[in-house]
Amino acid sequence: MSYILENEYLYLECIEAGGEIQHLINKQTQEEIMYQGNQGWGGKNPTLFPLVGNTYTGSYEIDGQTYAMKNHGLIRYASLQGRQEKDRLIFSLDANEATLKQYPFAFHYEIQYQLVDHQVKIQYRIENTGSKVMPFGFGLHPGFQLHEPFSSYFLSFDGNTHLEQLHMYETPSHWEKVNTKGWQLNRLDLEKYKTMIYRGLHSQTLTLMHKDEKVLRLHVQDYPYLAIWSSPTPSDFICIEPWWSHADFDPNTTDFYHREGTILLKPQETFCPSYAIEV
């Protein structure tokens, strides 16, 4: 089932599978903003919870018992309960028998979409509904359709120049200090790094430019990590991924509660990140 919001500038369609955006149309140009899952990657814009990527071994231990999840956690594989209100779409999932076999914590997960002029405002609410501290990671993985050649786009970090970039496939993996105002899209960097991952992001916005034209802007305040990825096969899309945490790249990673970027939520506490897509 599809759920639709529309205003003068944007058409937004979301579905219960993952609570994801199915379509986001710029009504002034009739162009599709979101990648459609048809060029080497079958995803579109999943939410990454309670893992970004995965643990180094693909499993983890809680209270002496071993658990495992697929890459990027639970939400992207789940069907959420949707409802439509006058000016917003809301999708939710509560922990159940299937999730508890993979992640032994009680939670309520919610994602809410609103249209405000040229922006899609997206608010998340994660509540620990159990009786013990809940460790988790969180991130976003939106894919955006490119309507011109890949290398003609530039992703501006909007004033953020002092970052660290992860060299994850070198031995040992390590962070390197870099000074950069952004990234000119190119396949050579993606072949070398697989995923461009930066730490220390302080920008409140990221702007995708085509030559001198602003194509879209992401409002990403408070996200400490940024990943940039596209399919290694020829494709015309880019994933711009704000993260709170990241996958394990070191075999010596500590336990599940103390992985870098892990959020620890006490019983009945909530975590409410957000971001916005401005067209």
Side-chain angles (χ1 to χ4, degrees), residues 51 89 108 147 244 271:
L51 277 177
L89 308 177
H108 174 79
H147 298 281
W244 275 86
F271 174 66

Side-chain angles (χ1 to χ4, degrees), residues 84-121:
Q84 183 152 8
E85 298 184 355
K86 181 179 180 181
D87 65 342
R88 69 196 66 199
L89 308 177
I90 300 171
F91 298 87
S92 62
L93 178 72
D94 290 292
N96 54 53
E97 184 177 348
T99 68
L100 290 170
K101 290 178 180 178
Q102 304 170 71
Y103 178 66
F105 298 94
F107 65 85
H108 174 79
Y109 168 92
E110 194 171 284
I111 178 171
Q112 174 180 285
Y113 298 93
Q114 286 183 287
L115 295 184
V116 179
D117 296 328
H118 295 272
Q119 291 188 31
V120 183
K121 294 197 171 187

Side-chain angles (χ1 to χ4, degrees), residues 14-65:
C14 299
I15 57 175
E16 292 180 326
E20 291 189 22
I21 299 174
Q22 183 82 343
H23 297 288
L24 176 59
I25 306 293
N26 181 341
K27 292 174 68 173
Q28 294 178 315
T29 63
Q30 293 304 307
E31 287 184 337
E32 174 68 67
I33 303 301
M34 308 306 296
Y35 166 66
Q36 292 298 292
N38 56 357
Q39 295 182 0
W41 175 51
K44 290 185 178 181
N45 49 90
T47 305
L48 317 182
F49 168 85
L51 277 177
V52 174
N54 214 318
T55 63
Y56 193 83
T57 62
S59 63
Y60 64 101
E61 187 175 293
I62 299 290
D63 296 333
Q65 186 168 341

Side-chain angles (χ1 to χ4, degrees), residues 40 89 143 182 186 257 274:
L89 308 177
N186 70 89
Y257 286 84
S274 65

Side-chain angles (χ1 to χ4, degrees), residues 9 45 61 69 78 98-99 117 120 130 136-137 145 154-155 165-166 186 189 197 252:
Y9 310 104
N45 49 90
E61 187 175 293
M69 285 179 269
T99 68
D117 296 328
V120 183
F136 64 93
Q145 187 68 47
F154 178 77
L155 180 62
Q165 183 178 352
L166 180 65
N186 70 89
D189 281 348
I197 300 176
N252 299 315

Side-chain angles (χ1 to χ4, degrees), residues 235-260:
S235 56
D236 298 308
F237 75 93
I238 189 70
C239 290
I240 306 170
E241 309 176 34
W243 292 350
W244 275 86
S245 56
H246 61 76
D248 292 344
F249 305 115
D250 187 335
N252 299 315
T253 300
T254 55
D255 67 85
F256 195 76
Y257 286 84
H258 297 95
R259 300 164 70 241
E260 186 176 39

